[in-house]
Amino acid sequence: MAARTRSKHRLADGTPLRELVRVEEGRIAARVFTDPEIYQLELERIFLRCWLAVAHESEIPHPGDYVTRRMGEDPVIVVRDREGQIHVLLNSCTHRGAEVCRVSRGNAREFVCPYHGYRFHLDGELAGAPAHEWAYDQQFDRKAFTLHRARVGTYGGLIFATWDVSAPPLEEYLGDMRWYLDLLLKRTEGGVEVVGAPHRWIIEANWKTGADNFIGDGLHTFMTHRYAIELGVLPNDPLIGWFGWHISVGRGHGVAIVGAPERIPLPPYLGLPQELWPLLERALTDAQRRILERTATVHGTVFPNLSLLNTTTIATEEGMPRVPFLTLRVWIPLGPHRMEILSWFLVEKEGPEWYKEASRKNYERTFGLTGTFEEDDADIWVSLTRANRGAFARKYHVFNYEMGLHRQPRPRTEWPGPGEAYWGDYCEANQRTFWAQWRRLMTEDRG
Ligand code: FES
Ligand code: FE
């Protein structure tokens, strides 16, 4: 038993997993980003256990609406049944495993497997098969061949699912992150909705490069997005991303709320249109409203692979209003050196049309599929993955996560929200929170 337990904590070459992630010292081994053995363990120990974001309710508003997504590498169908209930089903037939649904979205009365024709109800239950009475015995137990169902939970319209029957309820899993999600998803009574289909693209980078960047990498803005500074879109100031709060909320979740020095004017509420202000003031608590009043950017990650960005500081067209945009994205693992990025654009349902249109344009030009900022980041994440695949880097290279290691969280009198709040977004507390949770799950004694 002792030998079995020990081996769970070590890689095949004997390296203890724990030694690779020394958050207390601010050291993370390069290997965790590129090692195929670690990647396989992540699929089991992280993607089989966590709540994973798969869709937004506004993508499947009507009975029969569905989208196909992934939980880790496992393909799933996210579908609303006739009664309005949402199901997340493994998209693999219980007969011989063919993909039951092969398009990315649509509306269905049932799902029919393209291989031998098993038919499934929208809740995943097997409805029948061709020549059923001839092909199978009377004893054939249809219920035993229901598509695998994940547990489903929703928050602020976002649909999450988990395969883990013993996982805590979604609300508990999100914990204090809910308070910050509310700032984005529930700041008006109607909330936000997804516009169009999400953008999806594949890059040759490990999935954690995106999660790690969005959870709190304020420092890269001045360098990675240098072109925007040279064009005058962003201020030429190395402290551009410093003026903000970096908040670790536990369970690997983190958020950063960035403003600007007093001398730089910011539009109220990230530049949301005035028509929405009374709605914000009704939906938010006083503390939440005060925070949003003078904020330029909110970015963060819900462990493991959902990230968010709401920002107003980018103007993409002369004369166009500087309105904010909101994007949520998942970093879907497709191997140690590859991921699919699925990126939603969302906007307040009650927003005026001119704002929705301007916001969508801003998103597409910056963080959409061909967005300039998106390409800057992707290029670096691909290079990071490429530079650390070799035998030497995998064995000896260690990254520096020391930024803000000795900074103390500020008291609630200074920061009114939950979590451990650090002044200054040039900080890696959130990244350390992410990696601590990663280590916890990867070394947990379970099953
Ligand atoms: Fe689906 Fe045979 S694999 S019906
Ligand atoms: Fe970036």
Side-chain angles (χ1 to χ4, degrees), residues 213-214 217 220-221 224-225 309 367 373-374 376-378 381:
N213 174 287
F214 269 65
D217 197 324
H220 83 289
T221 309
T224 306
H225 304 298
L309 173 68
F367 283 89
F373 283 71
E374 189 64 47
D376 295 339
D377 289 322
W381 301 339

Side-chain angles (χ1 to χ4, degrees), residues 134-167:
W134 286 272
Y136 289 101
D137 297 336
Q138 290 300 316
Q139 289 80 15
F140 181 58
D141 178 9
R142 267 191 258 170
K143 283 212 170 7
F145 297 96
T146 298
L147 294 174
H148 289 278
R149 287 188 190 123
R151 279 173 67 194
V152 179
T154 63
Y155 190 80
L158 265 178
I159 305 168
F160 291 81
T162 179
W163 298 114
D164 187 355
V165 290
S166 62

Side-chain angles (χ1 to χ4, degrees), residues 93 95-98 113 115-118:
C93 182
H95 178 227
R96 201 72 86 248
C113 178
Y115 198 175
H116 310 93
Y118 270 31

